[in-house]
Amino acid sequence: MHIMHPQTRNGKWRRALATLPLIAALGGCDMVVMNPAGDVARQQADLILWSTGLMLLIIIPVMALTVIFAWRYRASNKDSDYAPDWDHSTALELVIWSAPLLIIIALGALTWVATHTLDPYREVGRIAAGKPVPADQKPLDVEVVSLDWKWLFIYPEQGVATVNELVVPVDRQVRFRLTSSDVMNTFYVPAMAGMIYTMAGMETKLHAVLNKPGNYAGMSANYSGAGFSGMHFRTHALDEAGFARWIASTKAAAGKLDTATYLKLEQPSERVPVMHFGTVERGLFDRAVNQCVRPGAPCMSESMHRHGHIPAPAATAAPAAAGQHPHHPSTSSTGA
């Protein structure tokens, strides 16, 4: 017989007691996915709750009936009916098949509606619950490039850029255009919206909004190499006046985001501090999408045009108006 030494037992109790503060700390964590600060993320959280609730309509009765049947038809219960020749019950078959079928229909309808409503390429239909997008409100355009291992944010209308810092105004739709310089990443601000991939040579889109001022976590949710663990950024939601002040202070920054600076940022580096650029070279993001930032590198859109795959891009012409961006045939454009 093995007898546990008293010191071994005491050691196990001490380790168990040491974990109690950690459990208490986790109990106070804010589950940002289920308690977000943006309307898109709020609708996504509601979709999770509705889907879970519908599935529990089957899961809970099945778990309960498993316990009830095991108890009622246990070997020691001599009062339960013994019917070895039983093989069919129309009422039971109706319940067994109709209940899951109805739940699947409800889940399908809910998912279909939510998939179209929350399509990341589609402009948001409201700022918050019961608050439609103002007719005169223009979305804020932000161009995002995932680099190794940092995030570059370009504000084309304001002419500024940042590294590892995203600042947006509260209650204003943000229209993201995203790409990657190399490895595929995932842009994710849990408080604002769901994840969206960034891929080299492609452009993806995301429309979102933040409704509460605050400082929120942003990250890459797709493993991309050695520096992945430090590929985080902060997202600051400010009121319109605060956002205007931030733009003014960023414009005063001495840094300039041009081709040479971009190529330096493109080099792998880890845990890069926040950087601000007061001026931005025009068309830099479009060249990043087309993989032709480096001098002499042919743009993907031009190469594809020469081979006759797609019509000539309009990217060589200047935008017709402030805030408009030339469309690149090499990018995704499945928005509503």
Side-chain angles (χ1 to χ4, degrees):
M1 178 182 294
H2 174 71
I3 300 176
M4 184 178 292
H5 195 276
Q7 291 184 353
T8 303
R9 288 198 299 268
N10 293 337
K12 288 187 175 181
W13 277 109
R14 283 196 295 269
R15 286 194 294 272
L17 290 173
T19 62
L20 291 179
L22 297 176
I23 297 173
L26 289 173
C29 288
D30 182 11
M31 296 179 61
V32 65
V33 173
M34 302 309 297
N35 185 30
D39 185 63
V40 173
R42 176 69 267 164
Q43 293 181 70
Q44 292 171 338
D46 291 342
L47 177 62
I48 294 173
L49 293 174
W50 277 104
S51 300
T52 303
L54 286 170
M55 289 184 286
L56 287 176
L57 291 178
I58 285 293
I59 295 172
I60 291 177
V62 168
M63 294 178 68
L65 287 172
T66 300
V67 176
I68 291 172
F69 273 64
W71 175 256
R72 181 171 180 179
Y73 296 104
R74 67 193 186 279
S76 60
N77 185 10
K78 304 301 181 183
D79 297 329
S80 60
D81 296 331
Y82 178 64
D85 298 325
W86 177 87
D87 60 358
H88 179 73
S89 170
T90 302
L92 186 59
E93 291 283 348
L94 185 64
V95 172
I96 289 174
W97 289 105
S98 62
L101 181 61
L102 291 174
I103 291 175
I104 290 171
I105 291 173
L107 278 172
L110 181 66
T111 304
W112 189 91
V113 172
T115 298
H116 289 80
T117 303
L118 301 175
D119 181 356
Y121 281 65
R122 180 178 182 174
E123 292 193 1
V124 299
R126 68 187 197 188
I127 297 299
K131 188 177 180 181
V133 179
D136 59 344
Q137 186 186 84
K138 186 177 181 180
L140 171 68
D141 287 311
V142 179
E143 297 167 343
V144 183
V145 184
S146 60
L147 306 163
D148 292 335
W149 285 276
K150 63 200 81 74
W151 291 93
L152 173 64
F153 302 100
I154 301 173
Y155 296 75
E157 293 183 16
Q158 292 76 19
V160 299
T162 64
V163 171
N164 286 342
E165 182 181 62
L166 174 63
V167 180
V168 299
V170 171
D171 287 340
R172 181 177 174 186
Q173 179 181 190
V174 184
R175 183 166 53 197
F176 294 99
R177 300 173 64 201
L178 308 100
T179 192
S180 174
S181 66
D182 186 11
V183 181
M184 181 169 66
N185 277 284
T186 304
F187 175 79
Y188 188 31
V189 182
M192 182 168 58
M195 297 178 286
I196 189 78
Y197 281 106
T198 64
M199 294 167 280
M202 298 181 65
E203 179 186 325
T204 50
K205 291 181 172 64
L206 175 67
H207 295 79
V209 62
L210 279 170
N211 303 116
K212 300 176 183 178
N215 183 346
Y216 306 103
M219 68 193 76
S220 171
N222 189 80
Y223 181 73
S224 57
F228 164 76
S229 60
M231 198 171 173
H232 300 277
F233 62 92
R234 302 306 303 180
T235 300
H236 303 278
L238 309 175
D239 58 26
E240 286 289 349
F243 180 71
R245 288 193 298 270
W246 179 81
I247 290 294
S249 64
T250 305
K251 277 184 174 292
K256 179 180 180 180
L257 182 62
D258 53 14
T259 299
T261 304
Y262 177 88
L263 292 176
K264 290 180 181 178
L265 288 172
E266 198 177 39
Q267 299 302 311
S269 56
E270 300 182 29
R271 304 187 185 278
V272 176
V274 173
M275 303 170 66
H276 295 121
F277 301 95
T279 56
V280 178
E281 183 178 316
R282 188 176 183 181
L284 190 59
F285 176 79
D286 292 314
R287 286 191 287 133
V289 173
N290 281 279
Q291 301 283 283
C292 58
V293 176
R294 193 172 300 277
C299 289
M300 290 174 55
S301 57
E302 296 174 359
S303 299
M304 295 174 73
H305 169 59
R306 282 197 297 269
H307 288 83
H309 294 299
I310 57 174
T316 54
Q324 295 180 347
H325 300 279
H327 172 67
H328 286 268
S330 63
T331 62
S332 302
S333 57
T334 58

